[in-house]
PDB file of all heavy atoms in Angstrom:
ATOM      1  N   ALA S  49     -71.935 -43.726-113.275  1.00  0.00           N
ATOM      2  CA  ALA S  49     -72.475 -43.078-114.481  1.00  0.00           C
ATOM      3  C   ALA S  49     -71.414 -42.147-115.039  1.00  0.00           C
ATOM      4  O   ALA S  49     -70.710 -41.464-114.281  1.00  0.00           O
ATOM      5  CB  ALA S  49     -73.737 -42.300-114.128  1.00  0.00           C
ATOM      6  N   LEU S  96     -65.801 -70.684-135.890  1.00  0.00           N
ATOM      7  CA  LEU S  96     -65.083 -69.459-136.282  1.00  0.00           C
ATOM      8  C   LEU S  96     -64.365 -69.642-137.627  1.00  0.00           C
ATOM      9  O   LEU S  96     -64.025 -68.656-138.281  1.00  0.00           O
ATOM     10  CB  LEU S  96     -64.084 -69.048-135.208  1.00  0.00           C
ATOM     11  CG  LEU S  96     -64.709 -68.351-133.979  1.00  0.00           C
ATOM     12  CD1 LEU S  96     -63.656 -68.142-132.901  1.00  0.00           C
ATOM     13  CD2 LEU S  96     -65.372 -67.027-134.353  1.00  0.00           C
ATOM     14  N   GLN S 103     -70.825 -63.562-134.499  1.00  0.00           N
ATOM     15  CA  GLN S 103     -71.973 -62.717-134.140  1.00  0.00           C
ATOM     16  C   GLN S 103     -72.676 -63.155-132.854  1.00  0.00           C
ATOM     17  O   GLN S 103     -73.097 -62.325-132.051  1.00  0.00           O
ATOM     18  CB  GLN S 103     -72.965 -62.683-135.293  1.00  0.00           C
ATOM     19  CG  GLN S 103     -72.436 -61.925-136.490  1.00  0.00           C
ATOM     20  CD  GLN S 103     -72.298 -60.444-136.210  1.00  0.00           C
ATOM     21  OE1 GLN S 103     -73.265 -59.733-136.068  1.00  0.00           O
ATOM     22  NE2 GLN S 103     -71.067 -59.996-136.076  1.00  0.00           N
ATOM     23  N   ILE S 106     -70.124 -62.144-129.890  1.00  0.00           N
ATOM     24  CA  ILE S 106     -69.649 -60.761-129.774  1.00  0.00           C
ATOM     25  C   ILE S 106     -70.802 -59.806-129.471  1.00  0.00           C
ATOM     26  O   ILE S 106     -70.626 -58.806-128.781  1.00  0.00           O
ATOM     27  CB  ILE S 106     -68.863 -60.341-131.035  1.00  0.00           C
ATOM     28  CG1 ILE S 106     -67.801 -59.311-130.629  1.00  0.00           C
ATOM     29  CG2 ILE S 106     -69.762 -59.804-132.146  1.00  0.00           C
ATOM     30  CD1 ILE S 106     -66.645 -59.203-131.586  1.00  0.00           C
ATOM     31  N   GLU S 188     -41.083 -93.487-124.011  1.00  0.00           N
ATOM     32  CA  GLU S 188     -40.783 -92.756-125.254  1.00  0.00           C
ATOM     33  C   GLU S 188     -41.987 -91.911-125.689  1.00  0.00           C
ATOM     34  O   GLU S 188     -41.841 -90.767-126.108  1.00  0.00           O
ATOM     35  CB  GLU S 188     -40.383 -93.706-126.382  1.00  0.00           C
ATOM     36  CG  GLU S 188     -39.096 -94.493-126.162  1.00  0.00           C
ATOM     37  CD  GLU S 188     -39.247 -95.614-125.145  1.00  0.00           C
ATOM     38  OE1 GLU S 188     -40.384 -96.119-124.939  1.00  0.00           O
ATOM     39  OE2 GLU S 188     -38.226 -95.987-124.519  1.00  0.00           O
ATOM     40  N   VAL S 197     -46.317 -80.653-125.843  1.00  0.00           N
ATOM     41  CA  VAL S 197     -46.776 -79.602-124.928  1.00  0.00           C
ATOM     42  C   VAL S 197     -45.785 -78.436-124.960  1.00  0.00           C
ATOM     43  O   VAL S 197     -46.184 -77.258-125.026  1.00  0.00           O
ATOM     44  CB  VAL S 197     -46.939 -80.137-123.493  1.00  0.00           C
ATOM     45  CG1 VAL S 197     -47.180 -78.999-122.497  1.00  0.00           C
ATOM     46  CG2 VAL S 197     -48.095 -81.144-123.421  1.00  0.00           C
ATOM     47  N   GLU S 203     -45.507 -71.738-128.661  1.00  0.00           N
ATOM     48  CA  GLU S 203     -46.357 -71.054-129.636  1.00  0.00           C
ATOM     49  C   GLU S 203     -47.409 -70.170-128.988  1.00  0.00           C
ATOM     50  O   GLU S 203     -48.207 -69.562-129.688  1.00  0.00           O
ATOM     51  CB  GLU S 203     -47.061 -72.091-130.538  1.00  0.00           C
ATOM     52  CG  GLU S 203     -46.120 -72.792-131.489  1.00  0.00           C
ATOM     53  CD  GLU S 203     -46.854 -73.864-132.293  1.00  0.00           C
ATOM     54  OE1 GLU S 203     -47.936 -74.311-131.874  1.00  0.00           O
ATOM     55  OE2 GLU S 203     -46.339 -74.247-133.342  1.00  0.00           O
ATOM     56  N   VAL S 231     -44.141 -79.432-117.772  1.00  0.00           N
ATOM     57  CA  VAL S 231     -43.629 -78.726-118.957  1.00  0.00           C
ATOM     58  C   VAL S 231     -44.348 -77.374-119.115  1.00  0.00           C
ATOM     59  O   VAL S 231     -43.727 -76.346-119.363  1.00  0.00           O
ATOM     60  CB  VAL S 231     -43.828 -79.572-120.233  1.00  0.00           C
ATOM     61  CG1 VAL S 231     -43.365 -78.808-121.463  1.00  0.00           C
ATOM     62  CG2 VAL S 231     -43.098 -80.900-120.100  1.00  0.00           C
ATOM     63  N   ASP S 255     -59.157 -83.589-105.125  1.00  0.00           N
ATOM     64  CA  ASP S 255     -57.848 -83.943-104.568  1.00  0.00           C
ATOM     65  C   ASP S 255     -56.823 -84.182-105.684  1.00  0.00           C
ATOM     66  O   ASP S 255     -55.650 -83.802-105.561  1.00  0.00           O
ATOM     67  CB  ASP S 255     -57.945 -85.215-103.694  1.00  0.00           C
ATOM     68  CG  ASP S 255     -58.590 -84.917-102.350  1.00  0.00           C
ATOM     69  OD1 ASP S 255     -58.689 -83.723-101.975  1.00  0.00           O
ATOM     70  OD2 ASP S 255     -58.974 -85.895-101.665  1.00  0.00           O
ATOM     71  N   ALA S 268     -53.776 -74.123-110.909  1.00  0.00           N
ATOM     72  CA  ALA S 268     -54.772 -75.048-111.472  1.00  0.00           C
ATOM     73  C   ALA S 268     -56.184 -74.531-111.227  1.00  0.00           C
ATOM     74  O   ALA S 268     -56.479 -74.015-110.147  1.00  0.00           O
ATOM     75  CB  ALA S 268     -54.614 -76.445-110.871  1.00  0.00           C
ATOM     76  N   ALA S 275     -71.439 -79.824-107.791  1.00  0.00           N
ATOM     77  CA  ALA S 275     -71.672 -81.136-107.192  1.00  0.00           C
ATOM     78  C   ALA S 275     -72.871 -81.724-107.910  1.00  0.00           C
ATOM     79  O   ALA S 275     -74.005 -81.297-107.683  1.00  0.00           O
ATOM     80  CB  ALA S 275     -71.923 -81.012-105.706  1.00  0.00           C
ATOM     81  N   ALA S 276     -72.620 -82.665-108.797  1.00  0.00           N
ATOM     82  CA  ALA S 276     -73.698 -83.189-109.646  1.00  0.00           C
ATOM     83  C   ALA S 276     -74.433 -84.316-108.942  1.00  0.00           C
ATOM     84  O   ALA S 276     -73.824 -85.259-108.431  1.00  0.00           O
ATOM     85  CB  ALA S 276     -73.119 -83.676-110.974  1.00  0.00           C
ATOM     86  N   HIS S 282     -74.201 -82.151-100.788  1.00  0.00           N
ATOM     87  CA  HIS S 282     -73.619 -81.809 -99.466  1.00  0.00           C
ATOM     88  C   HIS S 282     -72.090 -81.748 -99.516  1.00  0.00           C
ATOM     89  O   HIS S 282     -71.479 -81.226 -98.590  1.00  0.00           O
ATOM     90  CB  HIS S 282     -74.066 -82.833 -98.414  1.00  0.00           C
ATOM     91  CG  HIS S 282     -73.419 -84.182 -98.620  1.00  0.00           C
ATOM     92  ND1 HIS S 282     -73.875 -85.113 -99.532  1.00  0.00           N
ATOM     93  CD2 HIS S 282     -72.335 -84.732 -98.043  1.00  0.00           C
ATOM     94  CE1 HIS S 282     -73.110 -86.176 -99.489  1.00  0.00           C
ATOM     95  NE2 HIS S 282     -72.159 -85.982 -98.594  1.00  0.00           N
TER      96      HIS S 282
END
Side-chain angles (χ1 to χ4, degrees):
L96 283 173
Q103 291 293 290
I106 210 157
E188 295 74 25
V197 170
E203 289 177 340
V231 178
D255 284 346
H282 70 280

